[in-house]
């Protein structure tokens, strides 16, 4: 078995165990293979290993990969997105995980209308408040979500956050738990456009905790397709 398949098997085992601990159905959790660090060939191997969701964070590198491999898999744009790159992303990427401002929402909507293909978005929330991170403040979320959900061909599918880098993974648990409570607040509005089924949270170092706290998409790069030896 190749290395990606081996790692995938181990990661899936960890996800199933995390779901058992938290009373969740493992089918609710999907792995986005983050291929931003790796070349075309490795991205192809990830697809060959049975991974369906591919995540990229820079348009310049993502578009050539999409041109070659976009016929396979479901493509996720996970990095900070400049509005002038919305054109390159809409119509190619099914999901954008980094919706963080209304100007970008409008531009993605406009491009998605032009392509006749909706873009599914996760609203990025900066829960930790770190200056280095993009995303809305939690108290800006409700109004932003309501306004964005009205834009044509833009579907608000959920929320995304990035936890701080720490040595103690337990420090990130309250961050993920907070994103879950924000999802519940949005769902309580009862707006059919804001049923927000998805929580995109958890990366290589903290995905197990994210799954315990309700992640539906974990975004895994180094632990899954990285070139460095890893413990899953
Ligand atoms: C790079 C990246 C990841 C994956 O990072 P790993 O720690 O290698 O798993 C996940 N999410 C975003 C937004 C990223 O930019």
């Amino acid at each position: 078995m190749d290395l990606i398949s081996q790692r995938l098997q181990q990661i899936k085992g960890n996800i199933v165990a995390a779901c058992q601990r938290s009373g969740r159905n493992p089918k609710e959790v999907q792995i986005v293979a983050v291929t931003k660090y790796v070349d075309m060939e490795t991205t192809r191997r990830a697809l060959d290993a049975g991974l369906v969701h591919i995540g990229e964070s820079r348009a310049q590198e993502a578009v050539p990969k999409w041109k070659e491999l976009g016929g396979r898999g479901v493509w996720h744009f996970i990095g900070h997105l400049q509005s002038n790159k919305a054109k390159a992303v809409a119509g190619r990427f099914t999901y954008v995980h980094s919706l963080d401002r209304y100007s970008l929402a409008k531009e993605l909507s406009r491009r998605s209308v032009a392509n006749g293909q909706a873009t599914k978005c996760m609203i990025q929330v900066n829960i930790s408040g770190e200056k280095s991170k993009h995303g809305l403040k939690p108290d800006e979320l409700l109004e932003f979500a309501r306004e964005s959900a009205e834009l044509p061909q833009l579907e608000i599918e959920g929320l995304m956050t990035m936890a701080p880098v720490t040595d103690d993974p337990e420090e990130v648990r309250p961050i993920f738990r907070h994103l879950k409570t924000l999802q519940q607040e949005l769902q309580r509005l009862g707006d059919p456009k804001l049923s927000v089924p998805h929580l995109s949270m958890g990366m290589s170092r903290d995905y197990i905790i994210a799954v315990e706290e309700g992640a539906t998409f974990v975004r895994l790069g180094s632990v899954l397709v990285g070139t460095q030896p890893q413990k899953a």
Side-chain angles (χ1 to χ4, degrees):
M1 208 191 323
D2 72 65
L3 186 58
I4 294 178
S5 303
Q6 275 174 32
R7 287 170 167 179
L8 180 57
Q9 227 174 41
Q10 231 180 335
I11 290 166
K12 280 183 173 166
N14 291 340
I15 289 174
V16 167
C19 284
Q20 278 164 353
R21 285 195 295 278
S22 52
R24 300 188 61 204
N25 180 347
K27 290 206 179 77
E28 293 169 10
V29 184
Q30 289 172 293
I31 296 169
V32 179
V34 177
T35 51
K36 67 183 184 194
Y37 314 111
V38 301
D39 60 12
M40 188 81 75
E41 200 37 50
T42 308
T43 306
R44 193 192 310 277
R45 284 211 304 277
L47 288 160
D48 291 343
L51 286 152
V52 173
H53 299 280
I54 300 293
E56 283 280 335
S57 64
R58 297 188 55 202
Q60 301 93 300
E61 285 145 35
V63 169
K65 281 187 185 158
W66 180 87
K67 284 188 173 154
E68 182 96 2
L69 302 170
R72 303 174 63 189
V74 176
W75 289 64
H76 297 243
F77 195 88
I78 62 170
H80 182 64
L81 183 56
Q82 292 169 280
S83 297
N84 63 5
K85 300 278 164 54
K87 182 179 186 206
V89 167
R92 293 183 172 132
F93 287 75
T94 305
Y95 289 91
V96 169
H97 290 232
S98 47
L99 182 64
D100 61 356
R101 59 200 189 280
Y102 195 63
S103 55
L104 176 62
K106 277 198 302 194
E107 189 58 16
L108 277 173
S109 165
R110 194 167 77 82
R111 295 294 179 182
S112 303
V113 168
N115 287 313
Q117 189 184 317
T119 303
K120 297 176 188 294
C121 294
M122 256 60 89
I123 299 173
Q124 186 171 355
V125 188
N126 183 0
I127 292 186
S128 68
E130 290 170 283
K131 289 218 164 57
S132 61
K133 291 206 160 49
H134 294 284
L136 298 180
K137 294 185 186 135
D139 64 6
E140 298 168 334
L141 175 65
L142 254 61
E143 191 183 347
F144 177 84
R146 277 209 195 94
E147 288 177 359
S148 301
E150 293 304 321
L151 293 168
Q153 297 286 48
L154 203 73
E155 295 173 0
I156 304 299
E157 288 273 310
L159 304 177
M160 180 274 224
T161 200
M162 291 177 76
V165 179
T166 90
D167 289 335
D168 177 8
E170 285 301 324
E171 280 178 35
V172 303
R173 191 182 295 280
I175 306 267
F176 296 145
R177 201 166 278 183
H178 191 166
L179 197 70
K180 177 81 194 174
T181 65
L182 292 173
Q183 178 193 33
Q184 290 164 336
E185 274 178 40
L186 279 181
Q187 289 171 335
R188 272 200 298 274
L189 296 174
D191 179 341
K193 288 182 180 162
L194 289 175
S195 62
V196 289
H198 287 296
L199 288 178
S200 168
M201 58 189 195
M203 303 169 44
S204 290
R205 63 176 175 272
D206 54 22
Y207 73 94
I208 293 174
I209 293 175
V211 169
E212 289 173 357
E213 297 301 330
T216 65
F217 281 123
V218 290
R219 307 179 309 268
L220 302 180
S222 38
V223 81
L224 179 58
V225 296
T227 48
Q228 300 295 316
Q230 294 277 331
K231 40 179 191 48

